[in-house]
Amino acid sequence: STLDRSSAASDVYKRQIEDELDKLYVQVLYETGMRRSEALGVTLFDIKDCTISVNKQYNEDHKEFAVLKTENSKRSIPISKELEKKLLSQIPGIDGRIFYNSSPDTIYRNYLKPFNTSIHCFRHTFATNLVSSGIDLTIAAKIIGDDIKTVLSTYTQVNEDKKKSEFDKVRAIF
């Protein structure tokens, strides 16, 4: 199920990944919910004041920056001071990209495929964590780069503990 794959993505994030740049790439995916091509397109210039500005993506086939998937995809994502420090300490490639040497296919093959999950599951996990933490849906949608309908129908999973808590609130009303 999607929930199992999302949980597996969370487990992979916590596992040991040998290559430090790949480990940082996975951390960025997990903590930002960015699409793989968006994360590959991050440059040092996109990081400021504990925020990543998503304003382009990287096309792996053509080896060049590309426009984003949708207008909603252009956004700012809050990040921790720790993640900001790690990103800003990287030596970028000639095009300014931080993850110029990362291979999402290798990360998938070595760390995700054995758990029957994918890089995109980090996005699902991130969205689920935002919503289950009580982040307003309009804000969550802006951070994820989608509309509210897509966030609810595609990226969020029902958290059973949250569901029980919300049911208790409904019962208390009556």
Side-chain angles (χ1 to χ4, degrees):
S1 79
T2 304
L3 189 56
D4 292 338
R5 287 192 304 274
S6 186
S7 177
S10 181
D11 290 343
V12 169
Y13 167 69
K14 296 170 188 165
R15 289 182 54 156
Q16 276 302 99
I17 297 176
E18 292 83 23
D19 183 87
E20 289 301 316
L21 196 58
D22 285 348
K23 184 188 291 187
L24 182 59
Y25 178 71
V26 168
Q27 182 178 359
V28 165
L29 293 172
Y30 182 78
E31 293 185 21
T32 67
M34 281 195 273
R35 295 172 181 93
R36 103 188 222 163
S37 58
E38 293 170 345
L40 288 174
V42 171
T43 68
L44 291 179
F45 306 109
D46 300 322
I47 303 158
K48 184 179 178 188
D49 299 328
C50 291
T51 303
I52 295 178
S53 294
V54 180
N55 50 40
K56 62 192 164 312
Q57 61 184 337
Y58 190 75
N59 183 313
E60 294 173 83
D61 294 330
H62 296 110
K63 306 288 187 230
E64 64 186 11
F65 290 109
V67 297
L68 293 168
K69 184 177 173 184
T70 68
E71 188 57 36
N72 284 343
S73 297
K74 188 174 182 176
R75 64 200 187 276
S76 294
I77 302 173
I79 59 173
S80 67
K81 190 71 174 163
E82 174 196 341
L83 182 55
E84 178 184 58
K85 185 177 177 182
K86 285 181 182 180
L87 289 167
L88 292 176
S89 71
Q90 298 303 306
I91 298 170
I94 192 112
D95 57 3
R97 291 186 313 122
I98 294 171
F99 301 110
Y100 62 93
N101 225 8
S102 289
S103 170
D105 291 334
T106 300
I107 291 168
Y108 167 73
R109 192 173 43 258
N110 293 342
Y111 301 105
L112 298 166
K113 188 175 181 183
F115 290 95
N116 191 31
T117 192
S118 69
I119 284 179
H120 196 71
C121 282
F122 289 114
R123 189 165 169 78
H124 287 260
T125 301
F126 180 76
T128 301
N129 288 340
L130 287 181
V131 173
S132 66
S133 295
I135 301 296
D136 181 273
L137 283 176
T138 57
I139 302 300
K142 286 193 182 305
I143 292 170
I144 295 165
D146 277 312
D147 58 38
I148 293 172
K149 182 180 177 184
T150 303
V151 170
L152 288 174
S153 65
T154 307
Y155 294 118
T156 59
Q157 307 300 319
V158 174
N159 177 317
E160 289 303 318
D161 292 337
K162 180 77 171 169
K163 179 180 165 185
K164 181 182 179 322
S165 170
E166 296 300 308
F167 275 23
D168 290 344
K169 287 180 190 177
V170 170
R171 288 184 189 102
I173 293 171
F174 305 101

